Amino acid sequence: MLEIKNLRAEIEGQEILKGLNLSIGPGEVHAIMGPNGSGKSTLAHVLTGREGYEVTGGEVLFQGRNVLEMEPEERAALGMFLAFQYPVEIPGVTMTTFLKEAVNSIRKARGEKEIDALQFTKELRERCKLLNISQDMLRRSVNTGFSGGEKKRAEVLQMAALEPKLAILDETDSGLDIDALKTVSDGVNRLRSPERSMLVITHYQRLLNYIVPDRVHVMVRGQIVKSGDKNLALQLEEQGYAEFAEEAAA
Ligand code: ADP
Ligand code: MG
Ligand code: MG
């Protein structure tokens, strides 16, 4: 699904990603953990094509196609999705309208016709039920007056509506209270499927108690320095990152 080879990227002339390798198969959930400033969010942004980053080396193959030359919209049309960024508030635009526009912009980029509005709304209500999200959210303005937990739920709903093939979840450092964490994790787990891969980026181990990954990678100073199964996350929780940082330096 995703193959990253020796990826290097800079921000303002400073190299942040220093030859990163990662391979994610279809349906797999991989977690990246690492200390603050190790380049986790940079990776998420470079993968989805956000501006402000200069890729200086390496390859990113998504379903066999090199996406590094593609615009963010093209990557989204192929099925890449980034969640859990700092969400924008859009007063006056309901969640339903916002999500329909998001789906239609992807369909347009794929050369498909617009989605039937009634059918879309019906499906959206069903997705709310499945994800245990109140349907009231659909009539509210995007993120306006949403609590932290509601913003995350809104993102899970967006992910469900867009049906990405690769979902990248970059947990913001602010974190979630335990109830919101459970709701969001349940939602994400319901969206796991053999056709959908996920890359879960987190500073904290606790998220991975709920979203149990197939593989865990430790990122230090712009590189993956160790990979393992879910037990690696527990080991990290006990030992901290210092040892891995030293290994990386050596
Ligand atoms: P993480 O998500 O692992 O905490 P980031 O990818 O946010 O790490 O940051 C990696 C490094 O890049 C840090 O040293 C950070 O200070 C730097 N950095 C991130 N964003 C910018 C920016 N917009 N301009 C300059 N430096 C940045
Ligand atoms: Mg950070
Ligand atoms: Mg970050």
Side-chain angles (χ1 to χ4, degrees):
M1 186 67 83
L2 182 73
E3 181 134 34
I4 305 175
K5 295 181 193 166
N6 202 22
L7 182 62
R8 293 179 178 274
E10 299 179 349
I11 309 174
E12 292 171 359
Q14 193 195 343
E15 187 170 65
I16 308 293
L17 301 183
K18 302 175 182 181
L20 188 138
N21 295 289
L22 180 66
S23 183
I24 305 181
E28 291 177 359
V29 175
H30 288 225
I32 292 185
M33 301 183 69
N36 230 325
S38 54
K40 303 183 299 297
S41 295
T42 299
L43 174 64
H45 296 153
V46 167
L47 290 178
T48 49
R50 181 178 295 193
E51 61 185 63
Y53 301 88
E54 200 194 337
V55 175
T56 53
E59 272 186 331
V60 175
L61 302 176
F62 179 63
Q63 296 191 306
R65 301 171 65 179
N66 194 347
V67 298
L68 289 176
E69 299 299 319
M70 295 182 189
E71 296 297 321
E73 294 74 20
E74 292 175 82
R75 303 183 201 201
L78 288 179
M80 297 176 89
F81 173 73
L82 175 59
F84 293 174
Q85 294 304 286
Y86 299 96
V88 284
E89 299 185 4
I90 317 178
V93 176
T94 65
M95 280 294 291
T96 298
T97 302
F98 172 74
L99 293 175
K100 196 172 65 202
E101 294 302 316
V103 167
N104 277 333
S105 87
I106 283 180
R107 291 174 74 101
K108 193 174 168 197
R110 286 180 185 155
E112 297 168 4
K113 67 177 174 42
E114 285 200 356
I115 197 160
D116 179 80
L118 279 178
Q119 180 66 22
F120 179 76
T121 307
K122 192 172 153 235
E123 281 173 11
L124 208 48
R125 287 203 204 99
E126 278 158 18
R127 293 189 203 279
C128 281
K129 272 188 214 153
L130 181 76
L131 298 170
N132 215 356
I133 293 171
S134 164
Q135 291 183 25
D136 294 345
M137 179 177 271
L138 299 176
R139 288 189 296 271
R140 292 175 61 188
S141 291
V142 177
N143 288 321
T144 311
F146 283 23
S147 68
E150 283 171 338
K151 284 178 181 168
K152 304 267 173 164
R153 285 186 189 97
E155 292 238 33
V156 172
L157 184 60
Q158 186 181 357
M159 178 159 99
L162 296 183
E163 301 182 324
K165 294 198 180 76
L166 174 71
I168 302 166
L169 304 122
D170 188 4
E171 192 195 19
T172 51
D173 290 347
S174 58
L176 287 175
D177 68 42
I178 202 79
D179 288 339
L181 188 74
K182 279 187 188 148
T183 309
V184 167
S185 308
D186 283 350
V188 169
N189 285 330
R190 274 169 211 271
L191 298 177
R192 285 172 91 146
S193 91
E195 293 85 38
R196 177 170 300 137
S197 307
M198 296 191 186
L199 180 59
V200 179
I201 298 173
T202 183
H203 183 70
Y204 304 104
Q205 186 272 331
R206 56 175 198 160
L207 183 68
L208 305 181
N209 289 333
Y210 299 100
I211 304 172
V212 180
D214 299 302
R215 299 285 293 166
V216 174
H217 310 278
V218 184
M219 183 165 175
V220 177
R221 290 194 213 98
Q223 289 184 324
I224 303 289
V225 297
K226 190 158 181 128
S227 300
D229 63 13
K230 61 185 183 198
N231 294 314
L232 181 57
L234 298 171
Q235 195 188 333
L236 269 173
E237 179 84 341
E238 279 175 23
Q239 298 178 354
Y241 291 112
E243 188 179 313
F244 296 100
E246 278 160 27
E247 275 176 35

